[in-house]
Amino acid sequence: MASFKPEKQLHPPEKGSDFAFPFLPYDIQLDFMKTLYTVIHSGGIGIFESPTGTGKSLSLTCGTLTWLKDYVRLMEAELQEKIARLRAEIARLEKENESSSDWISGQYNAISQRKELDELNHFKQSFEEHQKHLLRMKDRAVLHKIRLEKIRPKDDTLREDPLQQDVAIDEDEFLLPEESEGSDEEPETDREKDEERYRPVQVIFCSRTHSQLSQVVSEVKETEHSKDLRLMSLASRQSLCINADVRKLKSSTLINERCLELLNKGGKSKASAGDEGDDGRSVKKRRKLTQSCPYYNQRAIEGLKNGILFEVPDIEDLVKAGKREHACPYYASRAAIPDAQVLMVPYQLILHRRTRQQSGIRLQDAILIIDEAHNLLDTISAIHSQEVRLEQLRLAKVHLSAYKARYFSRFSTKNLLRINQLIFIATRLGKVLSPEGSSTNRSRMLETQELLLEADIFNLNLSGILSFCERSRIAQKVHGFAQSAAPELLEQNAPSIRSKVGTTSKGSTSELKSLLKNLEEDYKNKSQKKKAVRPASKQAVEPAPVSNQENDQQLQSKPSVTNAIRPLINFLECLVEDAGGGSGDSRVMLSFDEKDPSQASIKYLLLNPGGKFEDIVQSCRSVVLAGGTMQPTEELTEQVFRNCRERVTIKSYPHVVPKDAVLPIALGRGPTGKEFLFNYNNKHNVEMLDELQSTLLNIGQVVPHGVVVFFSSYDFLDLFTRKLEESGNWARLEERKKVFREPKTSGQVEKILSEYGRAARSATGAILFSVVGGKLSEGLNFSDQLGRCVVVVGLPYPNRTSPELCERMRYLDRSLAGATSGASSAGNEYYENLCMKAVNQCIGRAVRHIRDYAAVILLDTRYCTGERIRRKLPLWIAERMECTERYGQAHGKLVKFFRDHKAKHVEETQ
């Protein structure tokens, strides 16, 4: 269907009330919304830096939703005008043709006008049908709510319906379905219907965590935009599932697999006993009852979708509504995607192509807003990287081999071929990592094609194998089989097949290649025969996935069996994705562990995350990146937007707090005059550690309430705290402030933060030792008394000897040669940017709102002498930062800063 885009320009409103901003906006907020409005309408790319506490998220949503409403109104008005103008033009041409001698030219002009008119009428018709569809959805939502009110129990508690029952066959629980021809092709009629539909411009709002997205949704609810807004929050099954039996599973992978199993059980027809096997013999099969998910009810899901779509729900609202209406929130949210104006999604759903496609999200002509985008490139790299260990490859081979031996006579030829190919891949990759298969035990880098050649799997159709894995869900079937089978059975079956498919010797490898070739030929011959006649004995038995509650209890009593197939499949997916992007954009790192050879691993590394995001930019109408600390922005412009610089608008806004609310100090020397230079060579410098202890003791005496100190690594923090205890300064510091340190395990973080919060608000106060890039450096709020001072010790440069980091730097030097200004190479810029982005995140933990105030102390002489380093700090810090030569100067400034704010507080309370 031809699209229609208005030609007239839209101009942003001049007042905050015209943006439906719920408060009187600050000047920077109004400028933010106006600039954003212009960027979106021009189809541009915006990079916005606005510190925490400046209403960044609210400015993003109000500016975008205002443009969206104005755009729809402009489109409708301009569409009507253009249709009326074309009709008048056609009528004029037809009238002229009646009296014109050159009627051929007149007819030709009229034909082109009629064609354009037909396309616009068709677009108008699809638009009107879409509007009627939305009205019907609203009507159904109202009726659905009325019906629910009538049938809802008086206590309004969640009803536990009896579990739906199906008859399943125990022996076929984990059996693969037979492959059918053409199963990969999408029906032509579905594609045609999809193309004919009108699709509104969709806003996709991304952030790092669900809690951040929920906060944005709660802000949108407070605006006028929420009154007629279709918004849907998307999340994983782990966040949305309301089936108690599924939710109790440990990992998201297990939850996904269990959900799909229950769905398949709900759709299976009842099977009968006594079916014949491939060899014609009667096979005895035990029956048992298995459950399907009681919340997967299409009518209930449709009702939940219609009702919740117009209520601006966050994740918690979806879950509550799903429990109340006894419908699956996960599938209701997915069903609402085509009709939503705004989608609230976590990074993974957008930045990973395969996940995005499986979720049904379309980027074409969408407005993509990525909040908290300071680590965008690193996030893309992490999402597209995958590691598989030698132990996992060994387990995958053992599980697949035992699975094959158990069901050998029941497999179709094509399924048997695919299973043998997976065993072959696991074997060959394992050989690359094995001590006898590797020429050296040192870590090394390979291009993906080099790995395929070294592993001897270059001639396999990996795309076809992955399609088979996805359709058959073999990872979960083999995992289920491995969980239900006795451990000794797995070990017994694996050696019996190694002589054919598992060993690493040259003879067995040759034999396996011959076997695979024979299977392929046998499959082709068999397929040709099947077209003529299909024997009754070869009817595929659809597998019945995992078992009922009784079987679940049995599984829980057994040792846990890891899913060894999933890491292998994920790794192969990376290799297939890489085939479309060029081998120069990635590497495969082989790592070896001399102490434990089973921990040797193969890791796929994406070196060019900008290339992945460039595909997203080309699909979207407009892309907006926003964050509290987006510096240094040159990294984005060079790696992502290098080919479309003319579309990029960069805005960096100051903080809304008064200038005297922040005291940034770069401190190069301690109380005795010892220079602070916390580089690798000085890591164990006793004099410098003593100077650091004295500095923190003095800061603890001057700063009221909470102080947060960030160290460059856990090792350095351990070293410092050990020295602090040995010197007796820990006890002295405890006399001034209660001392806490960041825990190494995530389970203790909440407890430590709670105890620190209580101590920081007390008269004595508290000091918290944390790690840059650790559990407390991002996403946490140390506002008011929790963070009156933030101290960053040194510059947290990553380990430059890391093979992964070295390869990334070499890649950037090659691909961006000459792109950076000055003498620094692109690789060195990347190295320095990693450090400064981490520092900026630490700084952003304090001063969280307009009435907040705090001191920021950067302990290292390089903050004073390095112009390049200061330039990469947030604008609101760099503009106010003072570099002090002696500690006494800094101490005096701290005393005056907190004394003035204490006096100001007293005046305000009187």
Side-chain angles (χ1 to χ4, degrees):
M1 182 185 68
S3 61
F4 173 77
K5 292 184 179 180
E7 297 175 355
K8 294 180 180 178
Q9 288 296 316
L10 279 172
H11 300 286
E14 293 297 325
K15 296 185 295 183
S17 57
D18 295 330
F19 283 101
F21 202 78
F23 316 105
L24 182 65
Y26 306 129
D27 290 342
I28 65 169
Q29 291 171 333
L30 185 59
D31 185 76
F32 190 134
M33 291 186 287
K34 292 168 70 173
T35 305
L36 175 67
Y37 189 105
T38 303
V39 166
I40 293 175
H41 189 68
S42 63
I45 297 165
I47 301 175
F48 294 88
E49 181 182 62
S50 186
T52 302
T54 57
K56 166 174 55 70
S57 299
L58 196 57
S59 300
L60 279 170
T61 51
C62 286
T64 304
L65 294 177
T66 300
W67 175 86
L68 188 61
K69 290 180 178 179
D70 291 350
Y71 177 79
V72 173
R73 283 195 292 265
L74 177 65
M75 184 193 69
E76 289 185 74
E78 196 166 318
L79 181 63
Q80 296 285 3
E81 291 176 11
K82 196 161 187 178
I83 289 175
R85 188 167 64 249
L86 282 172
R87 284 175 176 166
E89 181 68 13
I90 291 170
R92 183 185 65 78
L93 288 172
E94 289 177 345
K95 188 174 181 180
E96 289 180 356
N97 287 342
E98 292 176 0
S99 58
S100 174
S101 58
D102 187 10
W103 61 271
I104 295 178
S105 298
Q107 284 293 333
Y108 177 80
N109 293 333
I111 288 172
S112 62
Q113 299 283 1
R114 287 193 192 96
K115 183 180 179 181
E116 186 178 359
L117 179 62
D118 288 342
E119 290 176 351
L120 291 179
N121 278 326
H122 183 53
F123 179 85
K124 180 184 176 184
Q125 181 182 355
S126 63
F127 175 76
E128 291 173 346
E129 288 175 357
H130 176 74
Q131 297 299 103
K132 292 176 183 177
H133 165 70
L134 294 177
L135 291 174
R136 288 194 297 269
M137 283 181 60
K138 283 186 177 180
D139 293 341
R140 285 196 294 266
V142 172
L143 293 174
H144 181 69
K145 286 183 180 179
I146 294 173
R147 185 165 59 251
L148 282 175
E149 290 295 331
K150 290 181 179 179
I151 65 174
R152 183 177 298 166
K154 291 182 180 180
D155 59 357
D156 199 29
T157 56
L158 174 62
R159 295 176 289 112
E160 290 291 347
D161 287 353
L163 296 175
Q164 301 174 21
Q165 302 292 322
D166 267 337
V167 176
I169 302 173
D170 183 56
E171 186 171 317
D172 298 329
E173 240 179 290
F174 311 110
L175 189 62
L176 297 176
E178 186 172 348
E179 290 283 286
S180 59
E181 299 294 335
S183 56
D184 291 337
E185 296 179 4
E186 182 185 353
E188 189 69 28
T189 53
D190 291 347
R191 284 200 298 267
E192 290 175 357
K193 288 180 181 178
D194 192 56
E195 290 173 1
E196 289 296 315
R197 285 184 56 190
Y198 166 77
R199 287 190 170 270
V201 175
Q202 202 166 51
V203 177
I204 303 173
F205 194 105
C206 302
S207 196
R208 191 167 54 90
T209 65
H210 291 304
S211 60
Q212 290 169 338
L213 291 171
S214 295
Q215 183 179 348
V216 175
V217 172
S218 66
E219 291 177 350
V220 172
K221 287 180 179 179
E222 300 300 318
T223 70
E224 291 293 318
H225 294 293
S226 64
K227 291 184 177 179
D228 193 26
L229 179 65
R230 304 187 305 279
L231 179 147
M232 184 53 62
S233 297
L234 302 181
S236 64
R237 288 180 176 89
Q238 191 171 22
S239 299
L240 290 176
C241 180
I242 58 175
N243 187 321
D245 289 335
V246 178
R247 283 185 62 85
K248 68 184 179 184
L249 298 175
K250 299 292 184 184
S251 70
S252 59
T253 301
L254 291 176
I255 290 174
N256 290 340
E257 292 176 354
R258 183 61 172 157
C259 174
L260 293 172
E261 289 164 5
L262 292 177
L263 259 60
N264 278 356
K265 287 179 181 179
K268 289 198 187 343
S269 59
K270 296 184 178 182
S272 59
D275 291 346
E276 290 187 349
D278 290 348
D279 55 0
R281 294 176 300 174
S282 178
V283 181
K284 288 187 178 181
K285 302 168 186 176
R286 292 180 291 109
R287 295 171 178 267
K288 63 181 177 180
L289 292 177
T290 57
Q291 66 189 44
S292 60
C293 184
Y295 304 102
Y296 189 74
N297 179 291
Q298 288 293 351
R299 183 176 179 183
I301 289 173
E302 183 70 15
L304 175 60
K305 179 203 81 170
N306 292 337
I308 203 73
L309 181 61
F310 298 92
E311 295 182 2
V312 192
D314 59 15
I315 302 300
E316 188 177 348
D317 296 331
L318 269 172
V319 171
K320 286 181 180 178
K323 290 180 177 180
R324 183 177 65 246
E325 301 185 21
H326 219 59
C328 176
Y330 176 80
Y331 283 100
S333 65
R334 290 304 189 271
I337 289 175
D339 296 312
Q341 291 172 294
V342 180
L343 295 176
M344 310 296 293
V345 302
Y347 284 163
Q348 176 80 12
L349 283 181
I350 291 297
L351 300 180
H352 192 267
R353 183 185 64 84
R354 191 179 182 88
T355 305
R356 183 172 69 245
Q357 291 175 346
Q358 289 174 344
S359 302
I361 299 173
R362 290 169 58 107
L363 294 180
Q364 197 65 38
D365 206 35
I367 299 163
L368 178 62
I369 299 174
I370 300 182
D371 198 7
E372 303 298 331
H374 54 276
N375 279 336
L376 175 65
L377 294 177
D378 298 328
T379 301
I380 296 173
S381 294
I383 287 174
H384 290 85
S385 296
Q386 179 64 39
E387 185 175 26
V388 59
R389 300 193 310 276
L390 178 59
E391 176 65 17
Q392 291 172 322
L393 292 171
R394 188 193 72 81
L395 277 177
K397 188 173 104 176
V398 169
H399 291 176
L400 283 165
S401 299
Y403 178 72
K404 172 189 168 183
R406 177 67 182 82
Y407 293 106
F408 186 86
S409 62
R410 307 291 306 283
F411 288 134
S412 68
T413 310
K414 188 172 182 181
N415 283 345
L416 190 59
L417 169 65
R418 295 304 192 194
I419 291 171
N420 275 305
Q421 287 175 328
L422 284 171
I423 294 173
F424 178 63
I425 291 171
T427 302
R428 298 300 303 174
L429 290 176
K431 182 180 178 182
V432 171
L433 288 176
S434 63
E436 62 271 17
S438 176
S439 58
T440 175
N441 283 341
R442 295 178 59 188
S443 297
R444 56 194 178 105
M445 289 286 176
L446 300 174
E447 292 193 2
T448 52
Q449 192 61 32
E450 290 176 330
L451 174 70
L452 297 177
L453 289 169
E454 185 170 332
D456 203 12
I457 58 175
F458 64 93
N459 56 349
L460 293 179
N461 180 5
L462 296 182
S463 296
I465 294 171
L466 288 174
S467 296
F468 158 77
C469 293
E470 183 177 351
R471 289 194 307 273
S472 65
R473 299 186 359 259
I474 190 171
Q476 71 185 74
K477 291 179 186 296
V478 174
H479 184 221
F481 166 77
Q483 286 181 310
S484 63
E488 58 270 16
L489 180 65
L490 297 177
E491 293 298 337
Q492 287 171 1
N493 278 281
S496 67
I497 297 178
R498 282 177 189 145
S499 61
K500 293 183 181 179
V501 295
T503 62
T504 58
S505 65
K506 294 182 179 179
S508 60
T509 301
S510 175
E511 185 179 349
L512 177 57
K513 289 182 181 178
S514 177
L515 172 64
L516 292 175
K517 184 177 180 182
N518 291 336
L519 282 168
E520 288 177 347
E521 293 176 356
D522 184 36
Y523 168 70
K524 290 178 183 177
N525 296 332
K526 221 169 183 182
S527 299
Q528 292 174 355
K529 291 179 181 179
K530 282 183 179 180
K531 292 179 180 178
V533 58
R534 185 179 180 87
S537 62
K538 285 296 293 179
Q539 289 180 354
V541 182
E542 182 70 19
V546 184
S547 52
N548 59 8
Q549 292 178 345
E550 181 181 347
N551 191 46
D552 288 342
Q553 293 172 0
Q554 294 174 0
L555 289 178
Q556 289 174 8
S557 64
K558 294 183 179 181
S560 176
V561 178
T562 59
N563 190 332
I565 314 299
R566 177 54 58 190
L568 173 61
I569 292 175
N570 290 344
F571 181 75
L572 295 180
E573 285 177 352
C574 289
L575 297 183
V576 170
E577 284 274 331
D578 182 74
S583 60
D585 289 347
S586 65
R587 291 291 183 275
V588 176
M589 182 173 70
L590 306 184
S591 300
F592 300 92
D593 191 328
E594 294 181 1
K595 296 180 180 179
D596 185 1
S598 67
Q599 295 304 309
S601 66
I602 306 177
K603 185 176 183 181
Y604 174 88
L605 303 175
L606 178 65
L607 301 180
N608 182 22
K612 296 289 183 184
F613 195 70
E614 194 171 351
D615 296 338
I616 294 175
V617 172
Q618 291 174 357
S619 299
C620 294
R621 176 193 186 94
S622 180
V623 174
V624 176
L625 309 180
T629 52
M630 291 298 294
Q631 296 294 337
T633 58
E634 293 83 5
E635 185 176 66
L636 290 169
T637 55
E638 292 298 336
Q639 294 190 44
V640 184
F641 308 126
R642 193 177 181 184
N643 298 323
C644 51
R645 295 178 191 272
E646 70 283 353
R647 294 178 59 192
V648 178
T649 299
I650 300 175
K651 294 285 284 189
S652 185
Y653 292 101
H655 213 299
V656 293
V657 298
K659 285 193 174 183
D660 62 356
V662 185
L663 178 62
I665 298 176
L667 183 57
R669 296 181 183 274
T672 66
K674 175 69 178 177
E675 185 182 56
F676 284 138
L677 182 59
F678 294 99
N679 57 18
Y680 183 79
N681 294 331
N682 288 331
K683 181 178 179 180
H684 297 279
N685 188 308
V686 176
E687 292 181 359
M688 193 175 300
L689 288 172
D690 291 342
E691 196 79 346
L692 178 59
Q693 293 178 56
S694 300
T695 302
L696 293 180
L697 281 168
N698 283 320
I699 290 174
Q701 189 173 11
V702 175
V703 178
H705 300 292
V707 178
V708 184
V709 184
F710 289 100
F711 292 82
S712 57
S713 68
Y714 285 104
D715 288 343
F716 187 32
L717 175 57
D718 290 340
L719 175 65
F720 174 75
T721 53
R722 189 165 62 249
K723 293 291 184 182
L724 197 65
E725 290 173 350
E726 292 172 356
S727 64
N729 283 330
W730 182 286
R732 296 187 187 92
L733 190 58
E734 281 273 10
E735 293 174 359
R736 303 175 185 184
K737 289 189 180 297
K738 179 73 174 173
V739 181
F740 298 87
R741 63 164 291 170
E742 178 179 325
K744 291 186 178 180
T745 58
S746 300
Q748 295 180 307
V749 169
E750 190 173 341
K751 178 186 175 184
I752 294 294
L753 284 176
S754 177
E755 293 176 356
Y756 168 76
R758 285 195 297 271
R761 293 186 181 96
S762 68
T764 304
I767 186 167
L768 175 62
F769 295 144
S770 308
V771 176
V772 176
K775 302 170 187 66
L776 308 180
S777 63
E778 283 194 46
L780 291 179
N781 183 348
F782 290 106
S783 63
D784 300 317
Q785 295 173 337
L786 297 182
R788 286 299 180 216
C789 181
V790 169
V791 181
V792 181
V793 180
L795 283 159
Y797 285 104
N799 181 9
R800 193 155 191 165
T801 62
S802 162
E804 184 174 338
L805 178 59
C806 289
E807 192 63 31
R808 292 187 187 280
M809 291 174 65
R810 281 194 293 267
Y811 171 80
L812 290 171
D813 285 339
R814 290 193 307 269
S815 59
L816 298 179
T820 56
S821 57
S824 179
S825 68
N828 284 329
E829 281 288 323
Y830 170 74
Y831 180 67
E832 191 172 88
N833 290 343
L834 286 175
C835 169
M836 294 311 300
K837 285 190 290 186
V839 170
N840 292 343
Q841 282 302 299
C842 296
I843 293 173
R845 297 313 93 212
V847 192
R848 308 287 289 186
H849 57 84
I850 194 170
R851 294 185 178 276
D852 204 357
Y853 62 92
V856 176
I857 303 175
L858 306 178
L859 293 182
D860 200 292
T861 187
R862 288 170 291 182
Y863 287 112
C864 299
T865 59
E867 178 61 32
R868 286 163 48 80
I869 289 174
R870 290 202 302 274
R871 195 172 64 246
K872 293 180 180 181
L873 290 168
L875 181 65
W876 60 281
I877 290 290
E879 287 180 342
R880 312 177 195 191
M881 192 165 77
E882 300 183 35
C883 296
T884 56
E885 292 295 327
R886 301 190 309 274
Y887 174 79
Q889 295 174 327
H891 192 87
K893 292 179 185 295
L894 285 171
V895 170
K896 183 178 185 304
F897 178 78
F898 288 108
R899 185 178 60 218
D900 290 349
H901 277 282
K902 183 178 180 180
K904 185 177 180 181
H905 176 71
V906 171
E907 291 177 4
E908 290 175 350
T909 54
Q910 288 178 350

